[in-house]
Amino acid sequence: MSSTAKLKADEIQFGFFTVSDQVFYENSSAAAIVNLQPIVPGHVLVIPKKHYARLADVPQNDLALLFEAVQFVGKMVERAYTGDSLSITIQDGPNAGQSVDHLHVHVLPRRAGDITPNDKIYEHLEQFGLELRSMHEKQLDSDRQARTQEQMNAEAAWLRVQCQSFS
């Protein structure tokens, strides 16, 4: 999308991507979206609706709402994907592996033996960032295949139902 293009009022941007169809949960300041290349089933992102590049850029009231969303979504995807733990990470800045210039929180439901050794998740997240950078350059090359828009929309629809039934 060009920087001169106008967004519709209900469109949500994540960096250069319009991700409105991938949103399955939102509050007034944050949105949860399904992931193009999940590392584990249920790997989702929680993003501020306003563009902030880094965690330190987020005003405190928006930060509280962002982490309210992270907490709710974490509990919900852990239950929906039958996890018993969560990996919640932020790669804050390009030298930390941040692949999109828009703050985002990775939320991954975890279970015993899903990634061995367990800390290898960080290598996967680092690779995830490199793959997204390559995708920006149209050179996606990975063992994990990017999902189609239809696949992501279907998961987002299913997760919307999970959010509604989650208490």
Side-chain angles (χ1 to χ4, degrees):
M1 183 179 87
S2 76
S3 59
T4 58
K6 297 276 187 194
L7 287 176
K8 295 178 190 170
D10 59 347
E11 286 188 332
I12 296 177
Q13 284 293 119
F14 175 51
F16 295 108
F17 305 103
T18 301
V19 294
S20 304
D21 291 342
Q22 292 149 252
V23 172
F24 63 89
Y25 173 81
E26 61 185 302
N27 63 27
S28 60
S29 294
I33 61 175
V34 298
N35 203 322
L36 178 65
Q37 290 183 288
I39 293 169
V40 295
H43 175 191
V44 298
L45 304 176
V46 179
I47 63 172
K49 287 182 178 179
K50 293 179 186 172
H51 177 268
Y52 300 108
R54 305 278 312 275
L55 186 63
D57 299 336
V58 183
Q60 286 187 352
N61 60 327
D62 284 347
L63 189 61
L65 288 166
L66 174 69
F67 279 94
E68 274 183 24
V70 168
Q71 184 180 48
F72 176 85
V73 167
K75 289 176 186 177
M76 189 276 302
V77 297
E78 185 176 336
R79 184 184 81 177
Y81 289 91
T82 61
D84 60 15
S85 301
L86 294 169
S87 288
I88 298 173
T89 67
I90 298 173
Q91 295 160 297
D92 195 24
N95 290 324
Q98 184 178 5
S99 54
V100 176
D101 183 33
H102 188 133
L103 175 66
H104 53 286
V105 181
H106 294 263
V107 180
L108 299 90
R110 302 293 305 277
R111 65 180 64 81
D114 60 356
I115 296 174
T116 306
N118 196 305
D119 282 352
K120 193 166 179 78
I121 189 74
Y122 301 108
E123 289 178 35
H124 287 288
L125 285 168
E126 183 178 330
Q127 185 61 35
F128 174 80
L130 295 172
E131 289 165 357
L132 274 182
R133 281 192 200 104
S134 295
M135 188 177 76
H136 288 301
E137 300 165 4
K138 306 289 188 226
Q139 299 172 357
L140 188 59
D141 182 22
S142 167
D143 291 339
R144 289 188 339 269
Q145 295 299 310
R147 300 187 300 168
T148 66
Q149 189 67 42
E150 292 77 21
Q151 290 169 319
M152 290 188 298
N153 291 353
E155 183 182 22
W158 181 76
L159 284 170
R160 282 185 209 105
V161 171
Q162 300 305 305
C163 284
Q164 291 170 354
S165 67
F166 185 72
S167 53

